[in-house]
Amino acid sequence: MKAAFLTAVRKIEIREVPPPAIARPDDVLLRVATVGVCGSDMHYYRNGRIGRQVIEFPWVVGHECAGTVAEVGPEVRNLRVGDRVAVDPLIACGRCDQCLGGREHTCRKQKFLGSPGQTPGAMSEFLVMPQRCCFPIPANVTFQQATLVEPFAIGLYAQRLAGCAAGPEKGDIQLFPNGGKSRMSPFSVAILGAGPIGLSVLAALKAAGQGEVHVTDVREYRLELARKFGATWTGDPHRPDVKSALTSMAVPGFDYVFECAGEQETLDQAVELLAPGGKLMIAGIPEGDRGCFSPDLMRRKELGFQNVRRQNGCTRDAIEMVAAGKVRIDAMVTHQFALAQAAEAFELVADYRDGVVKAMIEVSR
């Protein structure tokens, strides 16, 4: 089979390798249809690492994918050859304290598609995954939509983890755990970064009934897409008037800020924009090992911080929402490439050229 290997920083080669084989009774062999190029793939492509996860070249990356069942293991009961599936790229052990506590996304022995030292990625013609990672998709869901389910499920999990936009209607009083009253709902929300994850958070918030959502990004074409996804206000954070505009719209600040860019600059902006008692949802993945915050400002505002780690069981719900038309995320796909053009696709995304938001690799149909 053909697979796209990252052979050095900013270098991808298509190589012919033996196809994977079913090794465990609950394994499923998939013919990969589509693979999305993710921002985390870009960290590996540009730097060869994400924090302590360092690639040993050559390595196959890619984890956003969908495909068709080509073969099933003897203990597979819920899938048949020919079924079309979306893939949750996390392979959890199911036995550690995290898995048993309902936190498979922080499994201590997890393997994640395309992560160094864990399991090779999906940028290939065939892929083997456990049955529990493969979710059948309805006939009205395309392979591209099924691939977009992976980032959208992260946005859905982020929205649910925050707990915003899922409560009372406007004008209702909300109670803190100690019985004190908060200010009137709905919540005030900002998203910093309108890439695929920021747009996924936006789509999840709007589907949950959040009214106003403020979005910033340094690229106008992404802000235009955010407006199509339902953003009520957009702005370039590099403009000097943007902070004052945001502050004036959410006095004394935002209840929730979703940081979806993975940049120190946006982390700093988020802390400044949050209201006292507000919560920062960190969904972006930084390229560096460390970030920093102002402890004085954090303390004085008594801010809450919550990292967002993958989907945590939201894949099935994400598929159902896409199938029912509750979210429309197709517009994220701005470019399509064949597997043989993987190097071109990665270069495009790495340099943010030609208005790219999500590049999709069409492996097979």
Side-chain angles (χ1 to χ4, degrees):
M1 71 168 185
K2 291 181 173 59
F5 282 83
L6 186 56
T7 58
V9 170
R10 296 193 80 129
K11 186 174 182 181
I12 287 182
E13 296 178 7
I14 305 299
R15 295 182 175 181
E16 191 75 34
V17 294
I22 286 177
R24 293 173 294 274
D26 65 338
D27 276 348
V28 177
L29 177 66
L30 301 174
R31 179 183 294 276
V32 178
T34 50
V35 183
V37 180
C38 175
S40 60
D41 297 332
M42 286 298 104
H43 295 328
Y44 294 131
Y45 182 69
R46 288 189 293 241
N47 304 306
R49 63 198 293 267
I50 297 178
R52 292 178 295 175
Q53 294 178 291
V54 181
I55 286 184
E56 292 186 10
F57 301 109
W59 186 249
V60 179
V61 294
H63 58 271
E64 302 174 357
C65 63
T68 303
V69 175
E71 184 182 347
V72 297
E75 292 184 7
V76 174
R77 297 290 180 265
N78 300 323
L79 294 169
R80 297 178 298 177
V81 173
D83 283 351
R84 300 160 64 248
V85 299
V87 175
D88 181 341
L90 172 66
I91 305 172
C93 76
R95 298 182 298 275
C96 71
D97 62 319
Q98 295 298 291
C99 289
L100 295 177
R103 294 184 55 89
E104 288 191 351
H105 60 312
T106 54
C107 170
R108 297 185 186 276
K109 299 179 181 179
Q110 66 180 259
K111 295 182 178 180
F112 194 80
L113 282 180
S115 290
Q118 296 183 26
T119 187
M123 207 74 69
S124 58
E125 292 182 309
F126 289 93
L127 175 70
V128 170
M129 292 294 286
Q131 173 184 231
R132 67 180 180 276
C133 296
C134 303
F135 294 81
I137 57 175
N140 69 324
V141 173
T142 67
F143 281 126
Q144 285 197 3
Q145 289 172 326
T147 300
L148 290 174
V149 158
E150 198 277 341
F152 173 64
I154 295 173
L156 182 61
Y157 176 53
Q159 176 263 314
R160 291 178 173 179
L161 188 61
C164 56
E169 296 298 323
K170 184 175 182 179
D172 289 345
I173 297 293
Q174 301 193 58
L175 301 180
F176 287 121
N178 64 3
K181 293 181 180 180
S182 74
R183 65 193 182 87
M184 306 293 280
S185 63
F187 301 106
S188 56
V189 179
I191 298 173
L192 310 185
I197 295 300
L199 292 170
S200 293
V201 171
L202 174 58
L205 285 166
K206 299 302 291 185
Q210 175 65 26
E212 294 188 356
V213 183
H214 305 75
V215 180
T216 67
D217 199 279
V218 297
R219 296 171 178 85
E220 175 56 35
Y221 70 86
R222 293 193 172 195
L223 293 178
E224 181 180 352
L225 190 54
R227 291 190 288 271
K228 292 180 180 178
F229 272 55
T232 48
W233 181 94
T234 61
D236 182 343
H238 289 167
R239 284 173 41 196
D241 60 325
V242 165
K243 181 185 172 184
S244 59
L246 282 169
T247 303
S248 68
M249 284 184 282
V251 178
F254 287 92
D255 297 310
Y256 292 89
V257 174
F258 291 81
E259 196 287 318
C260 300
E263 300 287 347
Q264 181 61 54
E265 179 182 15
T266 43
L267 291 172
D268 292 339
Q269 291 169 349
V271 171
E272 292 181 2
L273 290 171
L274 280 163
K279 193 169 187 179
L280 170 58
M281 305 297 298
I282 305 175
I285 300 177
E287 289 195 350
D289 292 344
R290 294 180 180 272
C292 62
F293 298 96
S294 167
D296 178 64
L297 193 54
M298 291 162 49
R299 179 180 63 83
R300 291 180 183 280
K301 287 188 175 183
E302 197 182 44
L303 299 179
F305 288 72
Q306 176 68 62
N307 284 282
V308 179
R309 176 74 163 166
R310 299 179 178 153
Q311 299 88 353
N312 196 23
C314 290
T315 299
R316 192 180 305 278
D317 287 348
I319 293 171
E320 291 176 358
M321 291 173 70
V322 171
K326 294 181 179 179
V327 293
R328 301 186 185 279
I329 53 179
D330 306 62
M332 272 196 267
V333 179
T334 54
H335 295 74
Q336 301 176 61
F337 297 86
L339 181 62
Q341 300 171 302
E344 181 183 346
F346 272 63
E347 274 294 291
L348 179 82
V349 178
D351 294 334
Y352 298 97
R353 289 190 282 108
D354 196 34
V356 65
V357 177
K358 173 65 69 178
M360 196 71 69
I361 307 293
E362 299 285 345
V363 181
S364 64
R365 297 304 297 266

